Amino acid sequence: MKKVLVIAGSDTSGGAGIQADLKTYQEIGVYGMTALTTIVAQNPNNQWAHDVYPIDRETVQAQITTILDGVGVDIMKTGMLPTTEIIELAANTLDKYQLDAVVDPVLACKGQDEPLYPENAKALRELLVPKALITTPNLFEAGQLAQMSNITTVDEMKEAAQKIYDLGAKHVIVKGGSEVEGDQAVDVFYDGDQFELFEHDMIDTPFTHGAGCTFASAVTASIVKGHSPREAVQSAKQFITKAIEQSWQLNEYVGPVNQFANRK
Ligand code: PXL
């Protein structure tokens, strides 16, 4: 059994964060273990606003020690990291245990007006993204990492991918999704050599909660099963497309993607 350590936050509503990660690993057939970094609670009395409750460094370190000294893993994946301190801890862990990592540079939750952790872009850019085997920013995160404002075209996505690659990440997939100009959803993959566009028809649904976490986890699971980062992106694309096609409405505010849709 291949094993993954995911260092990420808990989405109390179950659609994103470590909940999405573990569901994805279960569907693809790898074993996930978690170091929880923060708890996101949604406020039903305030338009489902996301409130964050970060976990202290010592507690995050204790979880990492459990997994890496007590078991060992084949790869690491990072999601929501609440402070510079925790970003640094994740980066140091990669060095200490010589692990490959999929870095999902989470800075915001979909549907929220304000990025949760905008001040973390610098630490991600300087400390963690340079060590990534692959990083999976959406347009907003790509803009923050590449220090570009307002990415809206495929050419700008390519420019951002190049800049993020230049930080040190070995592969970059910039997810355009539905926010790029044109009627196709386009993602840009870059491996330092060639750009490759992954295009698909837009899926018309507001229920995409957890799509980013699910995609990055599908990439992680696929890599650990022996695929190249490029192949992993391709298969994760298929996985997330099905999960979005069969997403559903959880309450009046949110609808999660459906990892179970990939079960034959
Ligand atoms: O989708 C980004 C995200 C990541 N991690 C956690 C979250 C969210 C958004 O809600 O709650 C824990």
Side-chain angles (χ1 to χ4, degrees):
M1 182 66 93
K2 295 292 185 184
K3 300 186 273 319
V4 181
L5 160 59
V6 48
I7 306 184
S10 166
D11 170 13
T12 302
S13 74
I18 56 154
Q19 286 83 352
D21 297 332
L22 290 176
K23 287 169 199 175
T24 304
Y25 300 145
Q26 180 70 19
E27 292 307 307
I28 299 179
V30 306
Y31 187 74
M33 291 177 277
T34 57
L36 203 56
T37 58
T38 183
I39 296 172
V40 178
Q42 292 87 2
N43 188 341
N45 301 314
N46 181 22
Q47 300 293 311
W48 211 240
H50 287 33
D51 298 325
V52 286
Y53 300 88
I55 292 165
D56 63 275
R57 187 185 196 285
E58 201 185 338
T59 310
V60 179
Q61 177 66 71
Q63 299 170 79
I64 292 172
T65 303
T66 302
I67 296 163
L68 296 183
D69 287 352
V71 184
V73 297
D74 300 288
I75 198 165
M76 189 171 118
K77 184 240 170 192
T78 63
M80 187 181 278
L81 305 172
T83 58
T84 299
E85 215 185 13
I86 302 292
I87 293 170
E88 196 173 2
L89 174 58
N92 291 344
T93 301
L94 287 178
D95 282 346
K96 180 169 175 200
Y97 294 90
Q98 292 293 305
L99 290 168
D100 280 332
V102 175
V103 173
D104 187 15
V106 177
L107 291 172
C109 291
K110 241 190 263 20
Q112 297 293 300
D113 294 337
E114 297 294 327
L116 278 177
Y117 297 115
E119 70 281 7
N120 283 353
K122 183 170 184 287
L124 282 172
R125 187 164 58 234
E126 292 176 359
L127 302 176
L128 192 56
V129 167
K131 298 186 194 296
L133 174 61
I134 179 166
T135 186
T136 60
N138 61 25
L139 287 187
F140 172 74
E141 292 153 356
Q144 293 286 306
L145 294 177
Q147 298 181 280
M148 293 166 62
S149 59
N150 213 13
I151 299 172
T152 56
T153 65
V154 171
D155 280 346
E156 286 165 352
M157 289 170 76
K158 287 183 178 170
E159 186 184 338
Q162 174 77 61
K163 288 190 161 136
I164 296 166
Y165 176 85
D166 290 343
L167 295 173
K170 293 192 187 71
H171 305 82
V172 183
I173 174 87
V174 178
K175 301 172 296 181
S178 56
E179 288 161 49
V180 183
E181 290 169 354
D183 53 10
Q184 289 286 101
V186 184
D187 301 331
V188 171
F189 178 77
Y190 185 56
D191 61 4
D193 187 23
Q194 284 181 7
F195 293 101
E196 186 171 350
L197 300 191
F198 289 91
E199 297 183 62
H200 58 86
D201 290 336
M202 215 84 88
I203 304 164
D204 186 20
T205 174
F207 307 131
T208 57
H209 185 63
C213 305
T214 299
F215 175 76
S217 277
V219 169
T220 309
S222 183
I223 288 174
V224 90
K225 288 191 114 185
H227 295 107
S228 69
R230 187 202 159 277
E231 291 164 346
V233 163
Q234 201 167 26
S235 79
K237 230 23 238 173
Q238 287 169 4
F239 188 93
I240 191 60
T241 300
K242 276 196 189 162
I244 294 175
E245 278 167 358
Q246 293 190 40
S247 64
W248 55 288
Q249 184 163 12
L250 182 66
N251 67 5
E252 64 184 292
Y253 301 108
V254 73
V257 301
N258 184 359
Q259 293 86 6
F260 191 75
N262 283 273
R263 227 172 250 212
K264 299 273 178 343

mmCIF file of all heavy atoms in Angstrom, residues 11 13 41-51 112 209 250-251 253-254:
data_model
loop_
_atom_site.group_PDB
_atom_site.id
_atom_site.type_symbol
_atom_site.label_atom_id
_atom_site.label_comp_id
_atom_site.label_asym_id
_atom_site.label_seq_id
_atom_site.Cartn_x
_atom_site.Cartn_y
_atom_site.Cartn_z
ATOM 1 N N ASP A 11 -11.875 20.949 6.834
ATOM 2 C CA ASP A 11 -13.093 21.653 6.425
ATOM 3 C C ASP A 11 -14.258 20.997 7.153
ATOM 4 O O ASP A 11 -14.679 19.894 6.795
ATOM 5 C CB ASP A 11 -13.274 21.559 4.908
ATOM 6 C CG ASP A 11 -14.647 22.059 4.473
ATOM 7 O OD1 ASP A 11 -15.341 22.690 5.299
ATOM 8 O OD2 ASP A 11 -15.014 21.812 3.312
ATOM 9 N N SER A 13 -17.282 21.345 7.015
ATOM 10 C CA SER A 13 -18.431 20.973 6.180
ATOM 11 C C SER A 13 -18.138 19.763 5.291
ATOM 12 O O SER A 13 -19.015 19.294 4.567
ATOM 13 C CB SER A 13 -18.883 22.166 5.326
ATOM 14 O OG SER A 13 -17.980 22.408 4.268
ATOM 15 N N ALA A 41 -14.209 26.517 10.411
ATOM 16 C CA ALA A 41 -15.615 26.359 10.785
ATOM 17 C C ALA A 41 -16.425 27.388 10.006
ATOM 18 O O ALA A 41 -15.981 28.528 9.828
ATOM 19 C CB ALA A 41 -15.792 26.571 12.284
ATOM 20 N N GLN A 42 -17.585 26.982 9.519
ATOM 21 C CA GLN A 42 -18.417 27.892 8.730
ATOM 22 C C GLN A 42 -19.553 28.399 9.598
ATOM 23 O O GLN A 42 -20.161 27.619 10.338
ATOM 24 C CB GLN A 42 -18.956 27.169 7.491
ATOM 25 C CG GLN A 42 -17.879 26.825 6.465
ATOM 26 C CD GLN A 42 -17.183 25.499 6.689
ATOM 27 O OE1 GLN A 42 -17.507 24.746 7.606
ATOM 28 N NE2 GLN A 42 -16.194 25.191 5.855
ATOM 29 N N ASN A 43 -19.813 29.693 9.501
ATOM 30 C CA ASN A 43 -20.786 30.309 10.403
ATOM 31 C C ASN A 43 -22.177 30.378 9.762
ATOM 32 O O ASN A 43 -22.407 31.177 8.857
ATOM 33 C CB ASN A 43 -20.288 31.709 10.775
ATOM 34 C CG ASN A 43 -21.135 32.330 11.853
ATOM 35 O OD1 ASN A 43 -22.275 31.909 12.087
ATOM 36 N ND2 ASN A 43 -20.586 33.336 12.503
ATOM 37 N N PRO A 44 -23.111 29.545 10.234
ATOM 38 C CA PRO A 44 -24.450 29.525 9.641
ATOM 39 C C PRO A 44 -25.240 30.796 9.933
ATOM 40 O O PRO A 44 -26.246 31.059 9.274
ATOM 41 C CB PRO A 44 -25.112 28.306 10.291
ATOM 42 C CG PRO A 44 -24.335 28.036 11.515
ATOM 43 C CD PRO A 44 -22.955 28.585 11.327
ATOM 44 N N ASN A 45 -24.763 31.587 10.904
ATOM 45 C CA ASN A 45 -25.458 32.837 11.234
ATOM 46 C C ASN A 45 -24.840 34.039 10.538
ATOM 47 O O ASN A 45 -25.236 35.172 10.777
ATOM 48 C CB ASN A 45 -25.443 33.052 12.750
ATOM 49 C CG ASN A 45 -26.124 31.903 13.458
ATOM 50 O OD1 ASN A 45 -27.202 31.472 13.054
ATOM 51 N ND2 ASN A 45 -25.480 31.377 14.488
ATOM 52 N N ASN A 46 -23.821 33.796 9.722
ATOM 53 C CA ASN A 46 -23.171 34.894 8.999
ATOM 54 C C ASN A 46 -22.786 34.442 7.593
ATOM 55 O O ASN A 46 -21.604 34.405 7.228
ATOM 56 C CB ASN A 46 -21.941 35.384 9.790
ATOM 57 C CG ASN A 46 -21.248 36.530 9.079
ATOM 58 O OD1 ASN A 46 -21.838 37.229 8.267
ATOM 59 N ND2 ASN A 46 -19.957 36.705 9.382
ATOM 60 N N GLN A 47 -23.815 34.057 6.821
ATOM 61 C CA GLN A 47 -23.616 33.744 5.399
ATOM 62 C C GLN A 47 -22.541 32.694 5.144
ATOM 63 O O GLN A 47 -21.850 32.734 4.150
ATOM 64 C CB GLN A 47 -23.219 35.022 4.626
ATOM 65 C CG GLN A 47 -24.235 36.140 4.683
ATOM 66 C CD GLN A 47 -25.515 35.773 3.946
ATOM 67 O OE1 GLN A 47 -25.459 35.313 2.820
ATOM 68 N NE2 GLN A 47 -26.650 35.934 4.601
ATOM 69 N N TRP A 48 -22.397 31.768 6.104
ATOM 70 C CA TRP A 48 -21.425 30.679 5.898
ATOM 71 C C TRP A 48 -19.984 31.202 5.852
ATOM 72 O O TRP A 48 -19.101 30.611 5.228
ATOM 73 C CB TRP A 48 -21.758 29.902 4.629
ATOM 74 C CG TRP A 48 -21.396 28.445 4.643
ATOM 75 C CD1 TRP A 48 -20.540 27.809 3.779
ATOM 76 C CD2 TRP A 48 -21.875 27.416 5.518
ATOM 77 N NE1 TRP A 48 -20.461 26.473 4.069
ATOM 78 C CE2 TRP A 48 -21.280 26.201 5.145
ATOM 79 C CE3 TRP A 48 -22.757 27.413 6.616
ATOM 80 C CZ2 TRP A 48 -21.526 25.000 5.788
ATOM 81 C CZ3 TRP A 48 -23.012 26.210 7.260
ATOM 82 C CH2 TRP A 48 -22.397 25.031 6.847
ATOM 83 N N ALA A 49 -19.714 32.335 6.522
ATOM 84 C CA ALA A 49 -18.351 32.890 6.551
ATOM 85 C C ALA A 49 -17.394 31.848 7.127
ATOM 86 O O ALA A 49 -17.745 31.126 8.064
ATOM 87 C CB ALA A 49 -18.321 34.137 7.412
ATOM 88 N N HIS A 50 -16.192 31.772 6.544
ATOM 89 C CA HIS A 50 -15.202 30.791 6.999
ATOM 90 C C HIS A 50 -14.372 31.386 8.132
ATOM 91 O O HIS A 50 -13.641 32.349 7.925
ATOM 92 C CB HIS A 50 -14.282 30.394 5.840
ATOM 93 C CG HIS A 50 -14.942 29.518 4.831
ATOM 94 N ND1 HIS A 50 -16.271 29.602 4.512
ATOM 95 C CD2 HIS A 50 -14.452 28.504 4.064
ATOM 96 C CE1 HIS A 50 -16.562 28.693 3.597
ATOM 97 N NE2 HIS A 50 -15.484 28.012 3.308
ATOM 98 N N ASP A 51 -14.470 30.810 9.310
ATOM 99 C CA ASP A 51 -13.639 31.238 10.444
ATOM 100 C C ASP A 51 -12.537 30.201 10.633
ATOM 101 O O ASP A 51 -12.809 28.994 10.566
ATOM 102 C CB ASP A 51 -14.480 31.318 11.722
ATOM 103 C CG ASP A 51 -15.601 32.345 11.581
ATOM 104 O OD1 ASP A 51 -15.369 33.368 10.904
ATOM 105 O OD2 ASP A 51 -16.694 32.114 12.121
ATOM 106 N N GLN A 112 -15.595 32.755 -1.042
ATOM 107 C CA GLN A 112 -15.342 33.709 0.036
ATOM 108 C C GLN A 112 -14.813 35.004 -0.574
ATOM 109 O O GLN A 112 -14.016 34.972 -1.502
ATOM 110 C CB GLN A 112 -14.311 33.144 1.020
ATOM 111 C CG GLN A 112 -14.807 31.889 1.716
ATOM 112 C CD GLN A 112 -15.984 32.194 2.638
ATOM 113 O OE1 GLN A 112 -15.866 32.966 3.563
ATOM 114 N NE2 GLN A 112 -17.128 31.603 2.343
ATOM 115 N N HIS A 209 -17.280 22.993 -4.472
ATOM 116 C CA HIS A 209 -16.515 23.077 -3.223
ATOM 117 C C HIS A 209 -15.608 21.854 -3.082
ATOM 118 O O HIS A 209 -16.051 20.716 -3.238
ATOM 119 C CB HIS A 209 -17.497 23.166 -2.047
ATOM 120 C CG HIS A 209 -16.810 23.368 -0.727
ATOM 121 N ND1 HIS A 209 -16.058 24.491 -0.445
ATOM 122 C CD2 HIS A 209 -16.750 22.585 0.371
ATOM 123 C CE1 HIS A 209 -15.575 24.384 0.777
ATOM 124 N NE2 HIS A 209 -15.980 23.250 1.300
ATOM 125 N N LEU A 250 -25.191 20.825 -0.700
ATOM 126 C CA LEU A 250 -25.174 20.416 0.716
ATOM 127 C C LEU A 250 -26.156 21.243 1.541
ATOM 128 O O LEU A 250 -26.868 20.726 2.387
ATOM 129 C CB LEU A 250 -23.747 20.577 1.262
ATOM 130 C CG LEU A 250 -23.492 20.164 2.711
ATOM 131 C CD1 LEU A 250 -23.670 18.668 2.912
ATOM 132 C CD2 LEU A 250 -22.062 20.566 3.118
ATOM 133 N N ASN A 251 -26.151 22.547 1.310
ATOM 134 C CA ASN A 251 -27.125 23.424 1.967
ATOM 135 C C ASN A 251 -27.297 24.656 1.086
ATOM 136 O O ASN A 251 -26.885 24.642 -0.078
ATOM 137 C CB ASN A 251 -26.698 23.785 3.396
ATOM 138 C CG ASN A 251 -25.451 24.656 3.435
ATOM 139 O OD1 ASN A 251 -24.933 25.074 2.399
ATOM 140 N ND2 ASN A 251 -24.965 24.940 4.622
ATOM 141 N N TYR A 253 -25.706 27.272 0.945
ATOM 142 C CA TYR A 253 -24.474 28.000 0.645
ATOM 143 C C TYR A 253 -23.480 27.225 -0.204
ATOM 144 O O TYR A 253 -22.662 27.814 -0.891
ATOM 145 C CB TYR A 253 -23.758 28.388 1.940
ATOM 146 C CG TYR A 253 -24.594 29.258 2.837
ATOM 147 C CD1 TYR A 253 -25.131 28.753 4.018
ATOM 148 C CD2 TYR A 253 -24.854 30.583 2.503
ATOM 149 C CE1 TYR A 253 -25.887 29.541 4.850
ATOM 150 C CE2 TYR A 253 -25.628 31.381 3.327
ATOM 151 C CZ TYR A 253 -26.143 30.855 4.500
ATOM 152 O OH TYR A 253 -26.909 31.634 5.315
ATOM 153 N N VAL A 254 -23.505 25.934 -0.118
ATOM 154 C CA VAL A 254 -22.354 25.197 -0.652
ATOM 155 C C VAL A 254 -22.743 23.819 -1.194
ATOM 156 O O VAL A 254 -23.719 23.208 -0.731
ATOM 157 C CB VAL A 254 -21.267 25.074 0.468
ATOM 158 C CG1 VAL A 254 -21.673 24.088 1.537
ATOM 159 C CG2 VAL A 254 -19.912 24.727 -0.099
#
